[in-house]
Amino acid sequence: MSGPAAVAPGTSRAEAVRVLRRAFAEAGLPEPERDARLLVLEAAKLEPLALVTAPDMALGEETSARLNALLARRLAREPLDRIRGHREFWGLDFALGPDTLSPRPDSETVVAAALVALPEREAPTRLLDLGTGSGCLLIALLHERPQAVGVGLDRSPGALAVARANAARNGVGSRFLAVCGDWAAALRARFDLVISNPPYIPSAAVETLDPEVHEHDPRLALDGGADGLDAYRRILRDAGPLLAPGGRLVLEIGAGQADDLDRLGTLHGYAILSRNQDLGGHVRALTLAPRPRASQVPHLPPQDAEKALVARSRTG
């Protein structure tokens, strides 16, 4: 790499951070200081304290070359966690792969809501994660509920391989079963809790997302169909037989989708028990439970019943 952003051999660690921070700020990246520090640590293979205890240590030629390569990747809008190959979630470390989403802090709202639905820490519970991806949601729950066992289901064999490895690296591999399948269709067991972070971005909006997302996260994990709700329709249609008596369903949703999910839940026989906000104040997770059978919409085909519910909501 050439130009004013390049980091020459002999540059101190602290100066390298300043060079990268300036380059990232000029490129309009949202967290230039954080990205700069983490990439210097990554290139130099250092622990975070090293930037504090030895900021004037010079970078060698190999480290400088690695850092410039990482710098170029980040300026090309490759996400920092993709560059590093892993990301922290719920205090645990998760490897990433091309078939997995990168875990977002907002998704921790799902874990928090699920833990409320599973109040007994030592209870022997059965968990199911539909579209497990990296396994972050299910593995976080298994970490918090040591007597629980869980199934992580995904249609991507590549994602399942990453999830298995993440379960092992976080000490819950013996309680994590990976299953390849399309949503709930492959399963016949019953679970105390079903969780999911399904694709919920409307198809037309996927290309408008930040390059870090639409160019690097798998589209199958983003694209929720024309209105962003296709996966929820599948889950709500098929999840009922999977829930044990008293079982709960916890879903991550996109900003502004809570009312749509309320209508869909009513259609498929669910009541929303709680709406859980993320740190930005958006409703990010819903906890649902099956309604008594008599309260379900009984006679219309699902697509017609959904239209009727939408029309009724608009007319008050």
Side-chain angles (χ1 to χ4, degrees), residues 130 184 194 234-243 249 270:
L130 295 172
V194 176
R234 287 284 307 274
I235 292 169
L236 291 168
R237 185 191 72 192
D238 297 338
L242 300 177
L243 288 172
L249 176 63
Y270 290 88

Side-chain angles (χ1 to χ4, degrees), residues 34 42 80-89 92-97 102-103 166 169:
R34 172 181 173 270
E42 185 75 18
L80 182 67
D81 45 322
R82 296 283 179 191
I83 293 171
R84 300 173 71 209
H86 61 100
R87 181 162 182 163
E88 182 181 329
F89 180 85
L92 305 171
D93 191 52
F94 290 89
L96 306 179
S102 176
N166 280 330
R169 76 190 289 168

Side-chain angles (χ1 to χ4, degrees), residues 104-120:
R104 302 326 196 248
D106 286 343
S107 296
E108 293 188 351
T109 310
V110 177
V111 179
L115 291 174
V116 172
L118 299 170
E120 298 183 33

Side-chain angles (χ1 to χ4, degrees), residues 255-315:
Q257 290 181 325
D259 289 343
D260 291 328
L261 264 295
D262 197 353
R263 288 192 290 269
L264 283 176
T266 298
L267 168 63
H268 290 283
Y270 290 88
I272 293 179
L273 302 184
S274 67
R275 301 183 179 208
N276 307 276
Q277 294 184 346
D278 60 24
L279 294 176
H282 303 291
V283 176
R284 185 63 58 183
L286 300 178
T287 302
L288 302 96
R291 294 178 184 271
R293 295 289 297 180
S295 66
Q296 295 186 29
V297 178
H299 300 302
L300 293 175
Q303 65 272 20
D304 294 335
E306 183 178 345
K307 291 176 183 177
L309 284 170
V310 171
R312 186 175 66 189
S313 70
R314 289 174 178 169
T315 59

Side-chain angles (χ1 to χ4, degrees), residues 20-66:
L20 267 63
R21 181 182 61 215
R22 186 163 53 247
F24 294 153
E26 290 173 355
L29 300 185
E31 297 182 277
E33 174 72 26
R34 172 181 173 270
D35 288 6
R37 291 176 61 85
L38 289 175
L39 285 189
V40 170
L41 293 171
E42 185 75 18
K45 302 179 182 178
L46 298 172
E47 295 297 323
L49 194 59
L51 291 179
V52 177
T53 58
D56 297 325
M57 183 74 69
L59 302 183
E61 187 170 344
E62 290 185 4
T63 299
S64 174
R66 282 196 300 271

Side-chain angles (χ1 to χ4, degrees), residues 222-260:
L222 298 172
D223 191 338
D227 61 358
L229 302 175
D230 282 0
Y232 297 110
R233 293 184 179 95
R234 287 284 307 274
I235 292 169
L236 291 168
R237 185 191 72 192
D238 297 338
L242 300 177
L243 288 172
R248 298 290 182 261
L249 176 63
V250 178
L251 301 174
E252 177 166 339
I253 64 171
Q257 290 181 325
D259 289 343
D260 291 328

